[in-house]
Amino acid sequence: MILEQKQAANNGRLVTTNNLLLLLLIVGGAGAQPSPGYYPSRRMRSMAFGEGYNNLWGAQHQTLSPDQKALTVWMDRSSGSGFKSKRSYRNGYFGASIKVPSGYTAGVNTAFYLSNNELYPGQHDEIDIELLGTVPGEPWTLQTNVYVHGTGDGRIIGREMRFHLWFDPTADFHHYAILWNPDQIVFLVDDVPVRRYPRGGALGTYPDRQMWVYGSIWDASDWATDGGRFKSDYRYQPFVSRYQDLKIAGCEADAPASCRPVPASPSGGLSAQQNAAMSWAQKRSMVYYYCQDYSRNHANYPEC
């Protein structure tokens, strides 16, 4: 009887454990990326580089694939490289599949972002995706950021949220995107929303002015890796990043008022499934959030 009771208890624990493992697999707790249920990258067509972009700087550090749809950029001691969209936009979906260099990459910044700095120097708006290099054995960091009316007079009012990605961004291409419309900014990684920045009630906390799309690789040794502790080491040059599957869909700055912004989902805002995927990404991978940094003056961040 005692033996049978022990066996029954063990069997019960086994069933409970199996059910728990199944639940973990379903919700992604075992490490699987959850489905967001909606895949905006699949709804936007890819474009040739020259259709949407021009070189901005470091042309000698860029090469295009024969089909003109993939761009390789690199950084060495002499220069990095950057490109810029041909047109400016007042909202839209902006995406690129990116593969970053492996090995010692401290100080290297591979960026994909929106900005109007050339129109409003010192008082610009910016929406950033930045992949920050690292030292071997440590993860790459994905930094997202929002600037509104910029960095004039030394006032740096950044709104950073950083992640250690749940995959190796050096091993393969992954799709990074910014969805910016009048209601919200959504940062997406392989269609999983990792961050939502909503329009708030306070003036000066949301970017409304036209912006261009940029990509670049550059030396951010002063801050990119462990606050600048680790610098770029050009013994490991060149540092090579690749962009492909470039996508732009949105309202150009001079589009008629009838141009409709790209929604975050068929219903407009993020769906319950997208919000669950975002919660998973933030709980699993977020390592910094400016609203939780009380060393900053929170008077600058009324949205917090």
Side-chain angles (χ1 to χ4, degrees), residues 199-222:
R199 174 184 288 279
L203 293 175
T205 60
Y206 197 81
D208 279 318
R209 301 178 294 183
Q210 70 190 79
M211 288 192 268
W212 285 260
V213 195
Y214 296 81
S216 61
I217 185 169
W218 58 287
D219 189 333
S221 288
D222 289 349

Side-chain angles (χ1 to χ4, degrees), residues 118-159:
E118 292 174 65
L119 273 184
Y120 308 103
Q123 293 291 335
H124 70 288
D125 307 303
E126 192 166 306
I127 305 171
D128 294 336
I129 287 176
E130 298 173 293
L131 289 154
L132 308 179
T134 189
V135 296
E138 295 297 324
W140 276 71
T141 297
L142 172 74
Q143 172 161 287
T144 64
N145 207 347
V146 178
Y147 289 102
V148 185
H149 290 259
T151 57
D153 301 322
R155 293 178 67 245
I156 300 175
I157 311 299
R159 294 167 166 86

Side-chain angles (χ1 to χ4, degrees), residues 145 156-160 162 288 290-291 293-301:
N145 207 347
I156 300 175
I157 311 299
R159 294 167 166 86
E160 301 92 343
R162 302 186 194 117
Y288 178 85
Y290 73 102
C291 279
D293 184 349
Y294 291 97
S295 69
R296 292 187 169 197
N297 180 2
H298 273 222
N300 292 323
Y301 307 103

Side-chain angles (χ1 to χ4, degrees), residues 14-25:
L14 180 60
V15 170
T16 302
T17 301
N18 287 340
N19 288 343
L20 178 60
L21 288 173
L22 179 60
L23 178 62
L24 287 170
L25 287 169

